[in-house]
Amino acid sequence: MKDTKKSVHGAWSSRFAFILAATGSAVGLGNIWKFPYITGENGGGAFVIVYLLCVLLIGVPIMIAETMLGRRTQRNPIETMELLTEEAGADKNWHYLGWMGIIAGMLILSYYSVIAGWSSAYILKAFTGSFFNADAAEIKGIFDDFIASPVQLVFWHSAFMLATMMIVVRGVNNGLEKAVQYLMPSLFVLMFLLVGYAMTTDSYYQGLHFMFTPDFSKLTSSAILTAMGHAFFTLSLGMGAIMVYGSYLPKNISIAKTTFLIAGADTVVALLAGIAIFPIVFANNLHPDSGPGLIFETLPIAFGAMTGGWLMGILFFVMLAIAALTSSISLIEPAVAWLVENKDFSREKACVWTGLATWLLGLGTVFSFNVWSNVKFFDRSIFQLLDYLTANLMLPVGGFCIAIFAGWIMKRQHSEQELNMPTEQSYQVWKVLISYVAPSAVFFVFLHVIGVL
Ligand code: PHE
């Protein structure tokens, strides 16, 4: 039994490979699609500040903790929690944390894949020149027609799920490392070029102003929850993705340093996306709060207007789809790793079942944009409900539990040994953040939302 477990478990070839893969997981639709539109919906500057604070004070320490837990056992999240509770002599129920993560991952992937499908469809639209010289109204028309078609959305959702599962079948560290190695630098270059275009619009400063001048009167409690939830979402925290990736990380590598690099890269991509998009929004009299269609209604205007825009449009949507792909494989990997390592499934069989279940669930999101757009639960469409449930509730709860476990349950000598920080002080800082700051911040935000605070 032990031996078969060993043989299915991969390992990154180097520290760099881990950084690439974890950055691949972190950087995705969350940065380029979701961050701009939720910033737009929540009033801009003040929301961005709360989000940045959450990344630094909650996200970074929890990312360190989650990587550490995975690496200590080198097992999937459910087994990791089982083994670590045993080691700490704690209550068995902690392994439910692993369960919640697996479920959250599949729920997220179900809608993530639909949106990634949009990005894939837009590669083709860019290629056929649909955006050429189109004005804002025409671009919006293209998007509205597209999401009104369940057939097209199902097609692209299916194609994306298939691509994800074809990579996962081969194991996350085969081929993935290379894909990310080229993707990340190219993505950076392209984002800078788009920012360059945004500078040429006469609304560049208005865009910057919107993103960076805080108006705290716009900061509702639901905006604070969304900002915190997004810190988890964008860093892939609270559901075991980073734990699984950590489990493939060789023992001699410094977790804290790599975490800073990953969180830094992730934040820069999100900010660049916002800086590129909002000037286009204002220059074309669009509304920042136009929701999940925001990037699809703005960036094509730029591609249609600028020189070289045809090629840039294609490249942009190709990269967005690949960035989504390197995230989606990490959303499903905890489920697959568990089925393979604990249920004796072959990797193929595990992929077929998890993939099918997730695909099916994704149909709910597809239809929520057209035939079921009137179907509401708690005032939310199926897509909105899934997004709220996972990003705003499940990930923060998962992250909270990870913080409590790493800060209070795991023995100090174990975390100290596993993290192997360069100085005693840096360990102390992390320990305070993970034991007190991160869990109480999550707790207070929840209290605030339910109206107790
Ligand atoms: N971090 C990814 C993104 O920003 C999404 C994700 C969430 C991936 C949770 C894995 C786990 O697009």
Side-chain angles (χ1 to χ4, degrees), residues 97-109:
L97 181 57
W99 272 106
M100 190 176 66
I102 285 183
I103 295 168
M106 291 176 67
L107 291 178
I108 296 177
L109 182 56

Side-chain angles (χ1 to χ4, degrees), residues 174-241:
N174 272 343
L176 172 66
E177 293 180 7
K178 288 224 176 51
V180 187
Q181 191 168 352
Y182 296 109
L183 174 74
M184 285 304 146
S186 338
L187 196 62
F188 270 103
V189 172
L190 210 67
M191 297 309 296
F192 274 109
L193 287 176
L194 281 172
V195 169
Y197 172 80
M199 283 178 172
T200 67
T201 67
D202 37 5
S203 302
Y204 183 61
Y205 290 101
Q206 195 184 347
L208 284 188
H209 179 79
F210 179 76
M211 267 188 75
F212 295 111
T213 315
D215 173 357
F216 286 100
S217 69
K218 295 206 174 119
L219 204 58
T220 59
S221 60
S222 92
I224 297 177
L225 177 65
T226 307
M228 179 182 78
H230 189 63
F232 285 98
F233 185 89
T234 192
L235 294 175
S236 307
L237 297 178
M239 51 68 67

Side-chain angles (χ1 to χ4, degrees), residues 439-452:
S440 40
V442 175
F443 191 66
F444 284 127
V445 172
F446 278 137
L447 287 185
H448 192 55
V449 170
I450 58 174
V452 174

Side-chain angles (χ1 to χ4, degrees), residues 25-31 108 112 233-236 239 241 327 330-331:
S25 167
V27 175
L29 295 173
N31 309 62
I108 296 177
Y112 203 86
F233 185 89
T234 192
L235 294 175
S236 307
M239 51 68 67
S327 301
S330 71
L331 282 161

